[in-house]
Amino acid sequence: MQDYQDIRQDMRATVEARRDLGPEYETALIESFVSRLDQTIAHRVRAEMHAAGAPKAGTRKGNGSIPIALGSMGIGIPLTAIAAQNAGTAGLLLAWAGIVAINFAHALGRWRERD
């Protein structure tokens, strides 16, 4: 539950900073927020995998995409509500851009492992 509060506070701080600094800093603020969001999601996925007793990365031969997909949906549902309520459409798009970026990076990493 603390993760949700932290994400809300980060989103609010980013929106407030954008209001204070103006649109010329929007890209930097968005990238900073997405980076923090990525770290939060990665931490949460690792914690859930650890709690489930999943082996550490590199020791498993199965499909590693399932935890990423489930983690994305687990974070995406509440994050959608938080972002839409606090930052409107821009926040919603930003939140899902972060989730898409994580899934894309995972898919790219798995694609590179196969070669």
Side-chain angles (χ1 to χ4, degrees):
M1 200 62 167
Q2 181 62 32
D3 287 342
Y4 299 132
Q5 293 298 334
D6 292 342
I7 292 169
R8 285 181 183 174
Q9 290 173 348
D10 282 349
M11 175 62 84
R12 286 183 185 130
T14 301
V15 170
E16 287 299 318
R18 198 269 184 200
R19 286 181 188 143
D20 293 342
L21 298 174
E24 56 272 0
Y25 289 96
E26 186 170 310
T27 301
L29 290 169
I30 289 171
E31 288 175 7
S32 175
F33 176 76
V34 169
S35 175
R36 291 190 308 270
L37 183 62
D38 287 346
Q39 291 172 0
T40 302
I41 292 170
H43 173 72
R44 183 139 189 210
V45 168
R46 281 192 301 271
E48 288 179 11
M49 289 176 61
H50 178 70
K56 295 196 180 224
T59 61
R60 178 166 37 151
K61 295 183 181 184
N63 185 354
S65 298
I66 293 173
I68 297 294
L70 293 176
S72 294
M73 293 307 297
I75 293 292
I77 292 169
L79 190 59
T80 297
I82 293 166
Q85 180 183 16
N86 293 324
T89 304
L92 182 65
L93 293 175
L94 178 64
W96 277 98
I99 293 170
V100 168
I102 290 170
N103 282 278
F104 181 75
H106 175 73
L108 185 61
R110 288 188 54 83
W111 180 69
R112 287 184 177 173
E113 285 178 4
R114 291 180 186 165
D115 291 342

